[in-house]
Amino acid sequence: MDVRLSDEQRALRDAAAQLVDRLGPKSVAELDDRERRDRLDTALAATGWRELRDPVGAAPGEDDPIASTVEVALVAEELGRGLANAPFTGATLAAELRRLSGAPAAGSETVLLAPDLAAIARPGLPAVALDGAASESGLYVDPSDHRVVAVPLDRNTQVVPAPVDLTRGFVVLDADPDGPAIGGIAAVDLTRWTAFGLAVACADLVGVMRGTLELARSYACTRHQYGAAIGSFQAVQHLLADAHVALEGSRSTALHAAWAVDALDPDDALAAAAGAKAFCARAAMSVCETSIQVHGGIGNTWECLAHVYLRRALVSADLLGNVGANLQRVLDHRLGATLVGSAPGGQD
Amino acid sequence: MDFADSTDEAAFRARLRDWLKDNTPKLPPSSTSDDYWAGQAAWHQALYDAGFFGLSWPKQIGGREMPVVHEVIVDDELAAAGAPPRPSLGYLVLGLLHHGNADVQARFLPGIVNGRDRWCQGFSEPDAGSDLASLRTKAVRDGDDYVITGHKIWTSYSDQADWCLVLARTDPDVPRHRGISAFRLDMNQPGVEQRPLQMINGITREFGTLTFDGARVCADDMIGEPGEGWRLAMTVVSHEREPQELGYVARYRKTVKELAGKVGATHDGFDTEQTTALAWAMVESEMLRQHVARRLSDRLDGVVHGPDGSVDKLLMTQVEQTVGHAAVSIGGAPYAGEDPTPLNTYLYSRAQSVMGGTAQIQRNLIASRILGLPAS
C-alpha cells in the first residue's frame, strides 16, 4: 500500500495544471472568448489526454487502456479547477465505453445521457449529449440487447440555450436517437464503465472545490470591511476552514475511487466510486455555496466566477446519479442486495 | 499509486487475520463501557507480543521499523474481526522521540510501546483548556527533584496509569509559552490524588481529575530541556489529532458493520432516515480509511504533517459523529430499558469535537496555518 503519485503521474498533473492556467478562463467574460477557447481546445487535443482510455492497440489482446483511471482523474481534476471549457468528460466517457465494447477508437465523440444525467441514454426516451455541440457523435446503450449505438450529432439536435454549466454545454436530441451499432457491452463492463464515469466526476468535483476555495480565499485576503481583511474574521475563517476539510476528505476518497476502477472487481469498484461520489458531491455543493457566501453581494452577480464553479459542480454532482442514488448503490452493495447498474431499469 | 497490499503486506495481513481468530478479546467498546479498560492492558500486551503493535517505530524502543502504511492493515483487520482498536499511543511515542534525549527515550519508551507501563497525559487544567499556555501547575526545584503542585483535568485513564506526562511551569518570569517544562511523574506516590469524572454517557474511566500536592519528580525525568514543554505539547497534540495515530478507523468500521448487520439486506422495519444515516456512516468511515492511507503514504516520503493534523482531526470528528447518529438512529434509545450501547455511542461521539483541541481551535489553526488567512 503506497498511494503516493508516481513521478510520471506528478508530471502529468503539473502539465495539466499548466495548460489550464495558461488557457483556461480567468473571468466570466473570458468564457466566451472564441479565440482563447479554440486555443484551449487545440492544446488539449494535442496532448492526447482525451484518448487516455483508448486501447493500446487495435489487435486482439491489446484492449488495455493507454493509461489508468488515476491518470484520467489527475487531468480531470486540473480541468475542473481551471474551469476548462473544452470537451474532456464526455470524450473520455465515450472512449471508455468504446474500449469496453471492443469497438475501435473514434475521435470527437461523447456520451448521450438521460436528461437528469443519472444514467446513459436508452432508445425511446429523451437524451442529452454532454459537450454535444463540439462532438460529431454520441454513444448510448440499448438495454434490450446491450448494443452500443453511435448517434450522429450533426442533425436533429438543439443546443440548450441557457446551460446549467457555463463550461460544459448540452445539446438535446429532438428525435429518437438512432445510428449504427459499434459493438456490444456486457453488464459487468457497463458496471465498470459506470464506476469509471463516477470516478471522473469525483475528480472534476475535487478540482472545482480547489478552484472555488482558492477564489474565495484570495478574495477574503483582499476584501476589507470594518478596516480589516474579511479573512481575519473568525466567522469567515471557519467557513473557509470547513470548506478545506471537505476538500481534503474528498481528495482521499476520489483518489481511491479512481484506483478502484482498474484494481477491483466491477461491483466493488462501483461501490467505491458511488461512495466517493456521494461524499464529493455533497462536499462540492457545500464548498461552492461557501465560496458564494464569502464573496458576499459580488458572489451573487453573474460576473463573479463563483457561480460558474457551482454550476459546473451541479452537473458533476448529478452525473451518473445524484447523492441519493449513489447512497443507495452503497447500501445495496454493503447489505448484499442486488446492485443497481447504470442502465435505466437496471442490468437487464 | 496503489491501495492494494504488496506481497509482504498481504503476508502480514494473513498472519494478523489468522492470529485474530484465536486472540480477539471479547471486550466491549471503550467508548461505552468501563469494562473495556480493565482488559485494555492485556490487549495491548498481546497485540505487541504477537508483533502487531508499534510497527513503524525504531527497533531500540521495541518497534519493528516497518513501513507505516501497515497501520492501515491493522485497522482493517481489527475492524473485520470485531476486535478493539489498537491502543492510541502514537502521539505520546512521537512526542518523546522528538523531544526526549537518548536517556529518556531508552528508559521510558520501551515500556510504553510494549504496554507494560501505562501513561496518562496531564495537560489541561480547570482554568487552562483551549488556552493551554495559561496553565498554572508549578514545578519547583528541590535538590535532585522537582516538587509539583496544581490541578489537571480531562486526564484520560488516569486511574489506570502508572505514569503521567505532566506539563508544569518551571519559570514564571519568562513569556508564558517558554516557562513550561514536561516531566514523567510517578502516579503511585503520596501527593497525587486521582478522582474519576463521569462522562455524559455514564462511563467513569475515560476522564479523571488529578491533584498534585507536593508530588515529586526526579529532575532526570524531565522530557526535553527546561522550557521545552510547550513545544513538546504541541508535537503531542498535533499527532493526537490524527486518526492515523489513534487507530479509531477500526472502531468506526466495526460499529458500521454491526449496524449493517442489524439493518440487513431487506431493510425490514427501517425507514429512509435510518438507512440514509447508515449509508453516510458507511461512506464516511471508508473515506477516513482512504484518508489515513493517503496521510501515512505521505510519511513514506518523510513528510511530517504539521497543521494538516487539524484537517485529519475534523474529518475524524465528522465520521465519529456521523457513526454516532447512525447508531442511535438504527439502534434506538433505550426507553424501555433496552441495550444502552447505541445511545451511549452517540453521546460519547460528542466529545470528539472537544478532546484533543476543540473543533473551533482546529478551524482557527487551518485558517491561519494552512489557508494563510490574516490574523484577527
Side-chain angles (χ1 to χ4, degrees):
Chain A
M1 189 174 312
D2 179 354
V3 308
R4 290 174 296 176
L5 298 179
S6 68
D7 290 344
E8 292 78 9
Q9 288 169 334
R10 283 169 212 249
L12 174 66
R13 180 194 58 193
D14 293 348
Q18 281 167 17
L19 186 132
V20 287
D21 286 345
R22 193 160 52 87
L23 295 170
K26 303 290 182 299
S27 66
V28 172
E30 277 188 31
L31 281 171
D32 294 326
D33 178 344
R34 191 86 229 167
E35 195 192 323
R36 180 202 58 77
R37 257 184 103 149
D38 289 345
R39 282 170 50 207
L40 174 64
D41 187 43
T42 306
L44 188 55
T47 60
W49 294 335
R50 287 173 185 146
E51 292 94 47
L52 289 174
R53 291 305 272 192
D54 283 356
V56 288
E62 293 182 338
D63 53 356
D64 279 347
I66 291 169
S68 79
T69 306
V70 172
E71 273 95 40
V72 176
L74 292 171
V75 174
E77 180 180 328
E78 293 304 328
L79 297 183
R81 180 183 63 83
L83 294 172
N85 50 351
F88 180 78
T89 313
T92 302
L93 264 61
E96 177 71 342
L97 191 54
R98 268 188 179 266
R99 187 183 69 83
L100 291 168
S101 316
S108 188
E109 196 162 59
T110 186
V111 286
L112 304 185
L113 300 164
D116 65 358
L117 315 189
I120 188 122
R122 62 189 297 178
L125 291 171
V128 297
L130 179 59
D131 282 326
S135 308
E136 287 166 17
S137 56
L139 302 180
Y140 75 84
V141 176
D142 188 335
S144 66
D145 55 9
H146 300 269
R147 277 181 317 137
V148 179
V149 177
V151 181
L153 295 177
D154 52 352
R155 58 195 142 75
N156 300 328
T157 62
Q158 212 176 331
V159 174
V160 176
V164 175
D165 181 350
L166 307 183
T167 63
R168 295 177 297 182
F170 287 93
V171 299
V172 183
L173 280 66
D174 22 292
D176 224 22
D178 201 10
I182 58 153
I185 187 162
V188 66
D189 285 328
L190 198 53
T191 300
R192 172 100 57 206
W193 178 81
T194 305
F196 174 81
L198 292 171
V200 173
C202 287
D204 185 74
L205 290 166
V206 168
V208 163
M209 281 187 260
R210 285 174 58 205
T212 203
L213 180 55
E214 177 52 28
L215 191 73
R217 192 200 71 81
S218 59
Y219 183 78
C221 290
T222 51
R223 167 73 175 169
H224 282 65
Q225 287 289 274
Y226 303 101
I230 61 167
S232 67
F233 302 135
Q234 202 173 44
V236 174
Q237 291 184 342
H238 285 195
L239 284 175
L240 293 172
D242 281 341
H244 180 74
V245 171
L247 162 62
E248 286 299 308
S250 300
R251 282 175 112 132
S252 298
T253 195
L255 183 69
H256 178 268
W259 167 82
V261 171
D262 300 314
L264 301 184
D265 289 341
D267 282 355
D268 292 334
L270 179 58
K277 178 67 158 21
F279 190 90
C280 292
R282 182 183 61 170
M285 298 311 293
S286 165
V287 171
C288 288
E289 289 162 5
T290 288
S291 178
I292 290 176
Q293 181 68 22
V294 168
H295 278 89
I298 288 294
N300 289 275
T301 63
W302 190 267
E303 69 184 50
C304 178
L305 278 173
H307 78 108
V308 184
Y309 282 109
L310 175 62
R311 286 163 170 275
R312 186 165 175 128
L314 279 166
V315 166
S316 287
D318 280 338
L319 188 62
L320 299 180
N322 61 14
V323 170
N326 281 302
L327 289 179
Q328 191 59 50
R329 284 178 172 137
V330 170
L331 277 177
D332 291 345
H333 183 70
R334 290 282 294 273
L335 299 179
T338 317
L339 205 60
V340 179
S342 70
Q347 298 191 346
D348 41 7
Chain B
M1 214 301 295
D2 197 352
F3 279 89
D5 292 349
S6 67
T7 313
D8 286 353
E9 288 163 353
F12 174 84
R13 186 187 292 276
R15 262 203 331 277
L16 173 56
R17 189 174 294 179
D18 205 42
W19 180 82
L20 283 167
K21 277 181 202 150
D22 300 321
N23 292 282
T24 296
K26 297 281 169 280
L27 285 178
S30 60
S31 49
T32 54
S33 167
D34 283 342
D35 295 340
Y36 172 79
W37 293 103
Q40 201 260 359
W43 166 237
H44 178 168
Q45 290 162 14
L47 205 56
Y48 175 82
D49 292 346
F52 300 117
F53 185 71
L55 302 175
S56 66
W57 297 332
K59 283 186 176 155
Q60 61 265 33
I61 63 164
R64 305 179 76 83
E65 298 184 7
M66 294 162 76
V68 69
V69 286
H70 282 80
E71 301 292 10
V72 179
I73 298 171
V74 174
D75 290 345
D76 284 351
E77 295 304 317
L78 296 182
R86 56 190 156 104
S88 306
L89 286 169
Y91 52 91
L92 187 60
V93 172
L94 292 172
L96 264 62
L97 279 173
H98 196 74
H99 296 276
N101 60 27
D103 167 63
V104 155
Q105 290 186 15
R107 285 192 294 131
F108 299 171
L109 282 170
I112 297 176
V113 174
N114 68 29
R116 269 66 185 182
D117 289 342
R118 320 292 298 164
W119 284 52
C120 63
Q121 187 175 302
F123 285 11
S124 295
E125 298 182 2
D127 289 323
S130 292
D131 183 14
L132 182 61
S134 70
L135 64 85
R136 294 206 295 240
T137 294
K138 44 177 199 183
V140 178
R141 186 77 189 230
D142 179 26
D144 292 337
D145 290 346
Y146 281 87
V147 178
I148 314 281
T149 313
H151 297 281
K152 296 290 175 181
I153 194 166
W154 322 127
T155 312
S156 298
Y157 337 124
S158 50
D159 62 330
Q160 300 280 314
D162 311 306
W163 305 98
C164 179
L165 172 62
V166 64
L167 291 181
R169 195 165 294 286
T170 44
D171 188 346
D173 300 324
V174 295
R176 57 187 205 149
H177 292 87
R178 295 199 203 129
I180 299 167
S181 303
F183 301 91
R184 180 190 70 159
L185 177 143
D186 186 348
M187 291 287 285
N188 299 304
Q189 61 169 308
V192 176
E193 190 190 328
Q194 189 280 139
R195 280 186 301 118
L197 200 55
Q198 196 167 25
M199 289 186 75
I200 59 173
N201 67 353
I203 70 166
T204 60
R205 306 295 274 276
E206 173 94 29
F207 283 167
T209 65
L210 295 174
T211 303
F212 304 125
D213 185 8
R216 300 185 83 84
V217 297
C218 173
D220 288 343
D221 288 358
M222 182 185 285
I223 301 164
E225 298 295 313
E228 197 176 336
W230 176 257
R231 277 181 288 141
L232 177 141
M234 290 305 98
T235 303
V236 169
V237 297
S238 72
H239 290 296
E240 189 181 6
R241 293 169 185 148
E242 297 173 342
Q244 47 273 42
E245 290 311 327
L246 296 173
Y248 288 175
V249 174
R251 179 153 64 81
Y252 307 144
R253 293 179 91 213
K254 180 183 166 198
T255 304
V256 169
K257 199 176 154 204
E258 289 163 2
L259 294 174
K262 265 184 204 165
V263 170
T266 56
H267 313 186
D268 269 354
F270 293 93
D271 62 28
T272 310
E273 191 181 335
Q274 290 170 307
T275 54
T276 303
L278 175 61
W280 279 121
M282 289 170 167
V283 165
E284 291 189 7
S285 55
E286 293 308 296
M287 177 280 299
L288 194 64
R289 174 188 184 271
Q290 294 145 11
H291 187 73
V292 165
R294 177 157 79 95
R295 289 297 200 219
L296 291 178
S297 292
D298 284 349
R299 283 207 199 151
L300 299 171
D301 266 341
V303 174
V304 178
H305 289 291
D308 291 315
S310 294
V311 175
D312 306 338
K313 168 78 195 296
L314 288 176
L315 284 173
M316 176 172 67
T317 297
Q318 180 184 343
V319 176
E320 169 135 12
Q321 297 183 342
T322 297
V323 172
H325 277 288
V328 78
S329 172
I330 290 160
Y335 296 116
E338 302 92 335
D339 178 12
T341 305
L343 174 68
N344 289 338
T345 300
Y346 163 65
L347 290 171
Y348 183 84
S349 74
R350 304 319 303 170
Q352 192 54 256
S353 45
V354 177
M355 60 171 75
T358 66
Q360 300 92 305
I361 293 288
Q362 309 306 331
R363 292 184 180 105
N364 289 348
L365 291 170
I366 291 166
S368 65
R369 295 181 61 196
I370 296 177
L371 298 177
L373 294 170
S376 47

